[in-house]
Amino acid sequence: MATKSKKPAEITTESLASFKEDVLKKYPPKVARKRSKQFLLNEFQGEDAPLIEANVRTIPGIITMRGCTYAGCKGVILGPTRDIVNITHGPIGCGFYSWLTRRNQTRPDTETSENFIPYAFSTDMNENDIVFGGEKKLKAAIREAYALFKPKAMAIFATCPVGLIGDDVNAVARDMKQELNDQGIDINIFAFSCEGYKGVSQSAGHHIANNQIFTHVVGTSDTVVEGKYRINMLGEYNIGGDAFVIEDLMHRCGITINATFSGNSTYDDFARAHTADLNCIMCHRSINYVAEMMEIKYGIPWIKVNFIGVESTIKSMRKIAEYFGDQELKDKVEQVIAEEMPAVDAALKDIKPRTEGKTAMLFVGGSRAHHYQDLFREMGMTTLAAGYEFAHRDDYEGRKVIPSIKVDADSRNIEELDVHPDPELFKPRKSAEELKALDECGFEFKDYHGMMPDMKPESLVIDDLNQYEADELVKKFRPDVFCAGIKEKFSIQKMGIPMKQLHSYDSGGPYAGFAGAINFYQEIDRLVNTKVWGYMKAPWQKKPELVASYAWNDA
Amino acid sequence: MSTLLRHTPVEITERQALSINPAKTCQPIGAMYASLGIHGCLPHSHGSQGCCAYHRSALTRHYKEPISAGTSSFTEGSSVFGGQSNLLAAIQNMFTVYEPEVIAVHTTCLSETIGDDVPQIVDKADKEGKIPAGKHVVSASTPSYVGSHVTGFANMVKGMIKGLAKPKTKPNGKVNILPGYVEPSDMAEVKRLAKMMGVKTICIPDTSGVTNGPLTGEYKMYPDGGVTVAELQDCSNSKGTIAMGFWASADGARYLDTEYKVPCSILELPIGLGCTDAYVDALRTIAGAAVPKEIEFERGQLVDMISDYHQYFYRKKVALVGDPDQLVALTDFLVSLDMLPIHIVTGSPAGKRFVGKIDEITKDIGYKVNVREHGDMFLLHQWIKQDKPDLIIGNSYAKYIARDEDIPLVRHGFPIVDRVGHQYFPTTGYRGGMRLIEKIVDALLTRTERDAPVETFELVF
């Protein structure tokens, strides 16, 4: 398995199609049959997005980009919340690896405000705990954690062996909450059955996390924050400081972010999330469930937004203003856009001559591979191939396919909450007339059309890309930049193609909003124009073979 | 100043159940790292895919190199019915698609808890023709709830020897080196010293050239480095084995000794003057080789450096956190510099042997030394708050403590994710000792200069 770089192939419908055929040849027949459905040429457009198989099991032994349910639950959703003591119940590894930093930026209000993000808590189960059960140890750990940190909330995460030996993390959480409450301590404790083997990717973990936050936290606080236009930002995780940029932008427009799920977030933000007037969804995959449930239970409508890319940011800001309908807000939004654009234009003018016409491939997340295409488009770059690591069909084909998605055994393992309007807290945010008026202006609620309609027909869409396919893609089409995660970074770079991480951001970020877009333009400019890729061959390796010796050596 | 670990109290309360900021991680990652030290080997994680993803990510962040490995991708069904069919499919898929010479399977807490018998499954794969002729599958049992990444490494070292060594035929005149859980640069340095002495070695495993490869425009899933299958098959014919680091290497060495009568010496990692001396001396005795002048010259340079900078070492207090083998050798080195290693924590369950070794090394320094095995960095931080050292030596996670307490940090151990050099420049051997001194002096003097008022800001140190 060694890859030599060749001249890039022309990108045509035929070359893309033959690529697929060639790649599949290497697989055993069963594997090829399965992969052929997850891997397609984006031939049709708009309403006729082709059907892609997604959210299906990873093939054993095929080097996957995916992680597990625990990673999705603890790492992605709860990780960025600073004031919850997150205890991993299991052997040490899972807790250790999810002890992250850049992905979980946060900004406590004061010098002494709670911030548990730099800590990793684990029950560090040993053989004895596996044999005799770990519930006792978990209870003791919760007591010790409370004695040391006195947090307002604790969350427990189950790892693989915990599920197998039958430790009931939910019962332990319930018991311990009761025990501490009985001592007059105001604390909320809840647990997540997010064992790594549940579901087929991180996606199951997002779902489990959101369900529990919705069940145990949302709606528990009556505090209403001041503000004329109050929104929740859902599916924004403050990677590399993205949420800080968005918070600043909203603040300048006079929009109040009531809660973010879950970048730079706090327990209290979650608890009062039901008091906002609009939910804005960034990452559709990880959190559409919460928006749906909040709409049913509390009457908060949701819209899809995207703050990655200048055009998308502008569109999203105007959409929020349109929803609230006030001219004052609309004017403010336009003013903020006008303030930001000169710097964006200057940056584009600088970098575009060096990025125009270049190509990219993106294989990341369950929304990012879509969102970041906007930024590349702004730089004059084309996306040749894209796909998600843990998406479902609706992320590719749009929400309209949701009713037709088959529920398989792996999806059935993930609890679906039965949500009804809350008898006291349900309150429609818009009257029927207001909704009708918005509708007549073409305003779309719940409007996620998926990634495929936004991509050119001459592009490849690949779900759950693996290392072999990534290798072949790069060999044949030699993109100017490849975007994925840390695991993929260096095999791509060994082939002389720069790799940009988009799960966390390498050393860069933020990339959201206007300021973030400028950062991204400059980062990609750096990556696609660095001299380093020209150093890979020594001068003597570039020249034809020549053997010579000085005459006096032969003497 | 805003602190990172703002909730860590000075007062120490005993904890029985809660581990905070661990100073170890789990067995499979050590096994995965060891497997990468076999040429043409694809590591395989038998469990759910998160483990494999986490281990690949952690190793990639540490080495900045591609780390490939397969996973059995357990779902709920496989967890109930056993992972046999997943592993059989994985073995077949990996040999077909990625064409490795060897697949090294390690287990996870999931596959161990359900009781999958990997050797039996591998046997079945062989009988069903899923292992192509001339290719190999080796394995190690590495449940995450036992030991730490260090024992995982040790188990895979033993696993590769057990799986590939062939019965003795004729002596090869070589010395087996089990280098322990160290950097690829350290393995290269250990081999270089042996080469200078004219001793032929088999380094098990050998990640040099694998996890510190060059950028050439070509991606090799199996880089040029690594101990070859032929060498592993031949290691039973060696004169002897030098195992470095009790926790990472003793098991493999003893296996070779009992199974194939290859005598073994178990030494400390050759970090610092005394431990490197012990290594060179062992090579000399076992291989019957003379120590060349060039090695004595390097040794003399290290001694020279110690004498030149002794004033900055003398009775400076150091807090250390890391793996047991690393800590024993480092502590020995610090004591030889007249430094005071005062707080020492390993996260690995290393037992009384570890505490005993540290006690023995530090018994004459005249200072009460805190030692904990199976401890965590929360405890280390509390000790540091109680008695502030002049220097911390530990992995990248120690930077939280270093910043909060304003103490210089020398990064050493696993993982180092925020600095470069560990992959390329050894800390083993005499030259490695010189590099460690450079780092320590640099950290101490940078701090002195930062704090110096203008009148004492010195040009010459």
Side-chain angles (χ1 to χ4, degrees):
Chain A
M1 283 295 294
T3 305
K4 282 226 165 80
S5 33
K6 282 184 293 193
K7 248 185 95 184
E10 290 280 321
I11 295 137
T12 59
T13 310
E14 292 74 38
S15 72
L16 290 169
S18 77
F19 171 77
K20 175 173 176 174
E21 205 179 306
D22 289 347
V23 161
L24 293 177
K25 269 185 208 153
K26 178 96 180 173
Y27 290 125
K30 235 171 99 180
V31 177
R33 260 200 309 281
K34 187 167 172 184
R35 281 305 291 162
S36 71
K37 297 178 205 152
Q38 296 170 270
F39 187 146
L40 54 84
L41 197 60
N42 189 36
E43 302 169 283
F44 302 100
Q45 289 292 294
E47 291 305 298
D48 295 315
L51 190 152
I52 187 164
E53 200 165 84
N55 193 37
V56 292
R57 288 179 187 181
T58 317
I59 301 160
I62 298 299
I63 303 177
T64 175
M65 292 164 64
R66 285 173 168 175
C68 68
T69 302
Y70 165 83
C73 182
K74 199 274 177 185
V76 176
I77 307 289
L78 271 299
T81 301
R82 65 173 166 266
D83 56 358
I84 300 176
V85 166
N86 289 319
I87 302 179
T88 299
H89 185 41
I92 200 66
C94 307
F96 180 86
Y97 303 116
S98 59
W99 183 12
L100 290 174
T101 53
R102 283 187 69 74
R103 276 193 70 105
N104 299 150
Q105 291 192 20
T106 199
R107 201 176 274 159
D109 298 329
T110 71
E111 296 283 301
T112 51
S113 302
E114 289 174 309
N115 181 14
F116 300 114
I117 286 182
Y119 293 90
F121 304 100
S122 166
T123 52
D124 186 11
M125 290 172 90
N126 58 35
E127 206 161 13
N128 214 38
D129 305 319
I130 299 294
V131 175
F132 298 106
E135 290 187 8
K136 257 192 192 156
K137 190 171 194 181
L138 177 58
K139 283 185 177 178
I142 293 170
R143 287 188 196 103
E144 288 171 5
Y146 184 78
L148 278 165
F149 304 106
K150 313 259 181 312
K152 63 184 74 155
M154 280 195 227
I156 318 301
F157 303 85
T159 58
C160 290
V162 165
L164 293 179
I165 63 173
D167 276 3
D168 187 342
V169 288
N170 292 293
V172 170
R174 217 164 35 237
D175 291 354
M176 289 309 299
K177 182 181 173 187
Q178 192 64 52
E179 182 183 308
L180 290 167
N181 289 166
D182 286 348
Q183 295 166 28
I185 294 160
D186 182 18
I187 189 171
N188 193 358
I189 304 178
F190 39 92
F192 302 85
S193 298
C194 56
E195 294 86 349
Y197 54 74
K198 280 194 173 169
V200 300
S201 71
Q202 296 94 310
S203 174
H206 307 148
H207 200 155
I208 291 166
N210 286 320
N211 280 351
Q212 292 297 80
I213 292 289
F214 188 78
T215 306
H216 294 280
V217 190
V218 175
T220 57
S221 164
D222 306 329
T223 317
V224 176
V225 289
E226 290 287 314
K228 209 164 165 192
Y229 318 107
R230 294 172 320 107
I231 64 169
N232 293 328
M233 201 60 82
L234 306 185
E236 160 46 53
Y237 302 104
N238 199 24
I239 293 165
D242 279 352
F244 299 145
V245 174
I246 299 169
E247 284 164 18
D248 173 66
L249 214 50
M250 294 296 109
H251 179 74
R252 281 161 57 205
C253 294
I255 298 164
T256 305
I257 299 185
N258 176 63
T260 305
F261 283 59
S262 50
N264 191 29
S265 59
T266 65
Y267 177 80
D268 293 337
D269 293 355
F270 293 154
R272 60 158 193 258
H274 62 292
T275 64
D277 291 322
L278 176 67
N279 276 327
C280 299
I281 288 203
M282 294 270 293
C283 173
H284 172 262
R285 175 68 269 136
S286 60
I287 206 154
N288 68 73
Y289 332 96
V290 173
E292 286 289 310
M293 293 189 294
M294 283 212 254
E295 177 153 26
I296 296 169
K297 191 165 177 183
Y298 305 111
I300 310 173
W302 72 264
I303 57 171
K304 174 77 177 70
V305 295
N306 174 18
F307 288 93
I308 300 297
V310 167
E311 289 306 316
S312 311
T313 301
I314 292 174
K315 212 171 125 193
S316 299
M317 287 168 74
R318 286 185 178 147
K319 196 168 177 185
I320 295 169
E322 189 72 33
Y323 169 81
F324 287 105
D326 282 3
Q327 196 54 44
E328 187 194 356
L329 176 62
K330 288 181 187 171
D331 293 345
K332 193 74 200 166
V333 161
E334 293 308 319
Q335 188 198 322
V336 171
I337 294 169
E339 284 165 14
E340 294 281 346
M341 282 314 285
V344 171
D345 292 337
L348 275 177
K349 195 174 162 221
D350 173 31
I351 61 102
K352 217 169 162 182
R354 295 186 296 273
T355 55
E356 184 96 60
K358 295 210 183 304
T359 55
M361 292 183 180
L362 298 91
F363 291 92
V364 54
S367 281
R368 286 174 185 267
H370 182 189
H371 290 167
Y372 277 82
Q373 293 186 31
D374 296 347
L375 276 167
F376 283 116
R377 213 170 284 128
E378 287 163 15
M379 285 183 269
M381 293 176 66
T382 314
T383 301
L384 301 179
Y388 295 130
E389 200 177 343
F390 50 79
H392 300 205
R393 275 183 57 203
D394 41 317
D395 301 299
Y396 291 104
E397 303 170 52
R399 289 185 64 84
K400 65 178 192 302
V401 302
I402 290 178
S404 64
I405 295 176
K406 281 182 294 192
V407 181
D408 57 18
D410 296 310
S411 317
R412 229 171 255 127
N413 292 334
I414 317 301
E415 188 188 20
E416 285 290 343
L417 298 183
D418 191 13
V419 182
H420 301 285
D422 189 285
E424 284 156 31
L425 299 172
F426 182 87
K427 175 175 74 127
R429 276 16 185 215
K430 293 271 175 198
S431 66
E433 298 79 55
E434 286 170 320
L435 287 174
K436 195 166 167 252
L438 277 169
D439 191 49
E440 277 163 9
C441 303
F443 190 92
E444 288 181 300
F445 288 101
K446 309 187 190 189
D447 58 332
Y448 189 54
H449 300 293
M451 181 175 86
M452 283 161 135
D454 276 357
M455 289 181 71
K456 297 202 318 175
E458 303 80 24
S459 56
L460 274 167
V461 179
I462 309 176
D463 186 61
D464 185 20
L465 185 78
N466 60 56
Q467 184 160 326
Y468 157 67
E469 290 166 11
D471 194 5
E472 295 295 313
L473 261 181
V474 169
K475 254 197 302 188
K476 181 151 182 181
F477 298 111
R478 307 284 302 165
D480 293 291
V481 65
F482 194 97
C483 302
I486 184 70
K487 302 193 296 296
E488 294 76 39
K489 185 175 177 77
F490 296 99
S491 57
I492 301 293
Q493 293 200 163
K494 288 285 187 204
M495 292 186 267
I497 303 293
M499 214 300 314
K500 178 67 197 167
Q501 283 188 67
L502 288 181
H503 291 286
S504 64
Y505 293 155
D506 296 287
S507 52
Y511 297 136
F514 302 94
I518 294 169
N519 272 345
F520 194 76
Y521 300 154
Q522 289 166 347
E523 172 74 344
I524 296 302
D525 174 33
R526 177 185 75 77
L527 285 169
V528 300
N529 291 302
T530 167
K531 294 190 201 65
V532 68
W533 313 116
Y535 304 152
M536 292 181 296
K537 294 280 170 275
W540 56 88
Q541 292 172 313
K542 291 176 191 164
K543 286 185 185 157
E545 294 245 345
L546 195 66
V547 181
S549 61
Y550 289 107
W552 47 264
N553 267 353
D554 298 331
Chain B
M1 200 177 89
S2 189
T3 52
L4 289 154
L5 301 167
R6 55 180 62 179
H7 303 291
T8 305
V10 181
E11 309 75 44
I12 294 167
T13 44
E14 274 305 310
R15 283 171 284 129
Q16 306 298 328
L18 185 67
S19 173
I20 312 171
N21 296 355
K24 65 163 178 180
T25 183
C26 62
Q27 287 212 81
I29 195 171
M32 188 183 281
Y33 177 53
S35 308
L36 293 166
I38 307 174
H39 179 71
C41 178
L42 188 57
H44 181 82
S45 166
H46 186 49
S48 61
Q49 69 209 16
C51 310
C52 186
Y54 274 137
H55 301 146
R56 290 179 63 209
S57 297
L59 292 171
T60 304
R61 289 191 180 106
H62 179 82
Y63 295 106
K64 317 293 186 224
E65 287 292 319
I67 306 291
S68 300
T71 162
S72 294
S73 291
F74 276 45
T75 54
E76 201 144 53
S78 8
S79 306
V80 175
F81 301 112
Q84 175 166 295
S85 66
N86 288 48
L87 185 53
L88 290 174
I91 288 171
Q92 185 181 24
N93 289 336
M94 286 158 76
F95 277 124
T96 312
V97 181
Y98 303 106
E99 301 168 18
E101 292 302 311
V102 186
I103 292 173
V105 183
H106 57 262
T107 55
T108 62
C109 46
L110 173 53
S111 53
E112 285 286 339
T113 309
I114 62 174
D116 274 357
D117 181 349
V118 170
Q120 172 265 315
I121 300 171
V122 171
D123 200 44
K124 190 171 161 69
D126 197 20
K127 289 200 178 98
E128 289 176 4
K130 293 190 165 77
I131 303 173
K135 307 269 182 161
H136 309 271
V137 179
V138 299
S139 67
S141 161
T142 52
S144 319
Y145 44 76
V146 175
S148 72
H149 57 292
V150 180
T151 33
F153 181 93
N155 285 337
M156 185 50 88
V157 171
K158 187 176 166 184
M160 63 182 77
I161 295 169
K162 205 171 166 180
L164 291 169
K166 288 188 164 172
K168 258 185 193 312
T169 47
K170 66 174 203 275
N172 60 23
K174 295 179 181 175
V175 175
N176 299 323
I177 307 260
L178 272 51
Y181 201 138
V182 293
E183 296 292 327
S185 49
D186 295 321
M187 298 186 190
E189 178 65 9
V190 159
K191 287 193 299 180
R192 188 185 69 93
L193 284 169
K195 200 175 171 190
M196 285 169 85
M197 294 174 68
V199 179
K200 291 202 171 73
T201 56
I202 299 175
C203 185
I204 311 170
D206 183 2
T207 58
S208 61
V210 180
T211 58
N212 60 357
L215 179 64
T216 59
E218 191 180 346
Y219 166 56
K220 289 180 173 175
M221 188 179 258
Y222 312 110
D224 293 339
V227 61
T228 62
V229 168
E231 286 175 314
L232 280 164
Q233 288 172 336
D234 187 35
C235 69
S236 52
N237 293 314
S238 297
K239 277 185 187 173
T241 302
I242 298 180
M244 298 197 258
F246 173 82
W247 285 273
S249 302
D251 281 358
R254 283 178 182 160
Y255 178 82
L256 270 168
D257 199 336
T258 50
E259 201 70 17
Y260 299 109
K261 306 283 171 282
V262 183
C264 69
S265 311
I266 297 162
L267 309 178
E268 305 305 344
L269 289 180
I271 294 176
L273 187 67
C275 294
T276 304
D277 283 347
Y279 167 56
V280 172
D281 205 35
L283 268 180
R284 186 181 67 91
T285 347
I286 295 164
V291 179
K293 284 270 177 289
E294 290 87 344
I295 289 183
E296 288 171 0
F297 184 81
E298 285 179 14
R299 183 182 188 279
Q301 285 180 318
L302 173 59
V303 177
D304 188 57
M305 227 173 153
I306 295 172
S307 91
D308 289 348
Y309 290 91
H310 184 259
Q311 60 271 34
Y312 306 115
F313 303 137
Y314 187 65
R315 294 194 78 73
K316 287 286 191 310
K317 296 186 284 185
V318 189
L320 298 129
V321 56
D323 298 344
D325 292 326
Q326 301 271 359
L327 289 175
V328 168
L330 275 174
T331 303
D332 185 76
F333 189 36
L334 296 179
V335 168
S336 76
L337 301 176
D338 291 319
M339 296 184 89
L340 299 176
I342 59 168
H343 309 306
I344 302 170
V345 170
T346 182
S348 292
K352 281 188 190 141
R353 171 186 282 266
F354 176 74
V355 180
K357 280 192 176 201
I358 297 290
D359 284 348
E360 177 61 26
I361 297 166
T362 57
K363 68 178 188 306
D364 296 325
I365 67 169
Y367 203 98
K368 191 199 161 293
V369 178
N370 290 317
V371 191
R372 182 68 64 90
E373 57 84 33
H374 209 173
D376 55 31
M377 289 173 74
F378 188 78
L379 172 71
L380 179 78
H381 191 179
Q382 291 182 305
W383 278 346
I384 287 173
K385 279 174 180 288
Q386 296 192 349
D387 186 357
K388 197 170 165 174
D390 302 290
L391 182 72
I392 301 173
I393 301 181
N395 65 23
S396 292
Y397 285 97
K399 79 197 251 181
Y400 293 73
I401 304 173
R403 180 180 149 127
D404 275 4
E405 305 302 330
D406 196 19
I407 299 169
L409 168 67
V410 167
R411 285 165 179 79
H412 194 273
F414 178 83
I416 295 171
V417 292
D418 58 343
R419 290 293 188 276
V420 72
H422 49 92
Q423 315 92 323
Y424 305 113
F425 312 115
T427 56
T428 51
Y430 301 114
R431 285 193 174 173
M434 290 166 75
R435 177 164 174 261
L436 265 176
I437 286 185
E438 179 205 0
K439 285 167 78 99
I440 292 171
V441 171
D442 195 10
L444 293 174
L445 290 187
T446 301
R447 176 53 185 276
T448 303
E449 290 180 328
R450 194 201 77 184
D451 294 346
V454 283
E455 63 276 18
T456 62
F457 188 80
E458 263 297 341
L459 174 71
V460 181
F461 277 109

